[in-house]
Amino acid sequence: MADKLEGRVAIVTGGARGIGRAICEAFVEEGAAVYVADLHGGEAEALAASLVESGGRAAGGYCDVRSTDSVRDVVEQAARAFGGLDILVANAATLTPKATIETLEEEAWTQALAVNLTGAFHLCKHGIPHLKRAGGGSIILTASQMGRVARAGSTTYCTTKGALIQMAKGMALDHAEDGIRVNTLSPGGTATDRMISQFGTMDEAEKQWGLAMHPLGRLGQPAEMGRGAVFLASDDSSFMTGADLLLDGGYSAR
Ligand SMILES: NC(=O)c1ccc[n+]([C@@H]2O[C@H](COP(=O)([O-])OP(=O)(O)OC[C@H]3O[C@@H](n4cnc5c(N)ncnc54)[C@H](O)[C@@H]3O)[C@@H](O)[C@H]2O)c1
C-alpha cells in the first residue's frame, strides 16, 4: 500500500461497480478509509468487505443519490464510522437511451438530471459541512469527455456532464476559502458495464468505440480513472481547483 491519502476519509457514490469501484480500490490502496455508496447496496457491502479483508479501511451500503435523505444518511454513516470526511466523489450516473430531445421520454430526461446532477448536489450539500469541519478537503465530480464535446443522440447525457463541469467551477469559487478544492474527472470511453449495455459485448465496445473514436486506439481501463481520482483527491493536485481532468485517450482532441 502507498500513502498519498493516509488519514483521509472518502465517500464514493456509484462506488460498487465500474469506475466508482476502481476509485474505491485506488483510494484504499493509498491509505484512505472509504465508504462505498451505491444503489446496489449488497455489492457496496461486498466490495467494502473485500477491501477490509485485504487490509484496508472501508464500509459500504445502499444509497440512492436521487434522494436527499438517503444521501444524508450515508454521509452521516461514513463520518461516524471513520471520524470525519475529507473527500467526496459524486460518481453515480444513469444510462440514458439514445434519443434526441424531441424523441426522449420526459421520464428519462428527469431521471438523468436526478441521478447525474441532483445526485451530485445532494452529496455536496450534505458532505461540505463535514469537509469544513475537517478544515478542507477535495470534491470530485465524475463528468465525461461528453461534458466538453457533444454527440448526436446523447444530448441529455452531454447536458448533465457539461453542467457538472460548470458546477465544479462555481463550487471551487464558493469554497476556496474553506480549503475545499472542487474538480471534475472526465473519463473517455472506459471498459465498464456501461459499455456492454451500449454495445452488447466489450469486444464490440472496443471496436466501435475504443478503436474507432479514441486516438489511443482503445477504451480506458477503470484503474486509469482510479489513478486520476487519487491525483485529484491528494496533495499532488494541491494547486488545482475549478478544473477538469480529462482522461479520454484523445477523444476530444480531434
Ligand atoms: N464508462 C464510460 O465510458 C464513461 C465515460 C465517461 C464518463 N463516465 C462516467 O463515469 C461514472 C461511472 O461510470 P461507469 O461506467 O463506471 O458506470 P456503471 O454504470 O458501470 O456504474 C455506475 C454505478 O452507479 C450506480 N448508480 C446508478 N444509479 C444510482 C443511484 N441512483 N444512486 C446510487 N448509485 C447509483 C450503479 O449501481 C453503478 O454501481 C459515471 O458518472 C459516468 O457517466 C463513464
Side-chain angles (χ1 to χ4, degrees), residues 14 16-20 38-40 63-66 91-93 115 142-145 157 161 187-190 192-195:
R17 295 183 179 175
I19 291 170
D38 203 286
L39 203 53
H40 293 94
C63 170
D64 183 346
V65 298
R66 293 170 295 186
N91 170 77
V115 180
T142 308
S144 169
Q145 91 274 37
Y157 181 75
K161 295 301 179 176
T190 305
T192 69
D193 291 352
R194 183 169 287 267
M195 290 291 109

Side-chain angles (χ1 to χ4, degrees), residues 11-16 20 35-38 63 65 71 74 89-93 119 123 142:
I11 181 166
V12 182
T13 67
Y35 192 97
V36 187
D38 203 286
C63 170
V65 298
V71 176
V74 290
V89 185
N91 170 77
L123 183 67
T142 308

Side-chain angles (χ1 to χ4, degrees), residues 93 122 124 131 144 156 171 206 208 222 236:
H122 288 150
C124 296
L131 269 56
S144 169
T156 302
M171 286 172 57
E206 279 290 357
Q208 292 180 39
D236 283 352

Side-chain angles (χ1 to χ4, degrees), residues 39-54:
L39 203 53
H40 293 94
E43 289 181 32
E45 285 172 23
L47 173 60
S50 83
L51 292 169
V52 169
E53 208 167 297
S54 57

Side-chain angles (χ1 to χ4, degrees), residues 18-109:
I19 291 170
R21 182 185 176 100
I23 292 173
C24 292
E25 290 169 346
F27 280 8
V28 167
E29 183 66 27
E30 291 289 346
V34 172
Y35 192 97
V36 187
D38 203 286
L39 203 53
H40 293 94
E43 289 181 32
E45 285 172 23
L47 173 60
S50 83
L51 292 169
V52 169
E53 208 167 297
S54 57
R57 291 197 305 149
Y62 170 84
C63 170
D64 183 346
V65 298
R66 293 170 295 186
S67 155
T68 197
D69 290 345
S70 179
V71 176
R72 188 193 295 110
D73 283 354
V74 290
V75 163
E76 296 309 322
Q77 275 176 45
R80 247 197 328 272
F82 301 115
L85 208 45
D86 309 281
I87 301 160
L88 311 175
V89 185
N91 170 77
T94 191
L95 276 170
T96 304
K98 286 263 165 283
T100 64
I101 291 295
E102 184 188 15
T103 59
L104 188 75
E105 295 291 340
E106 189 141 352
E107 202 183 322
W109 167 265

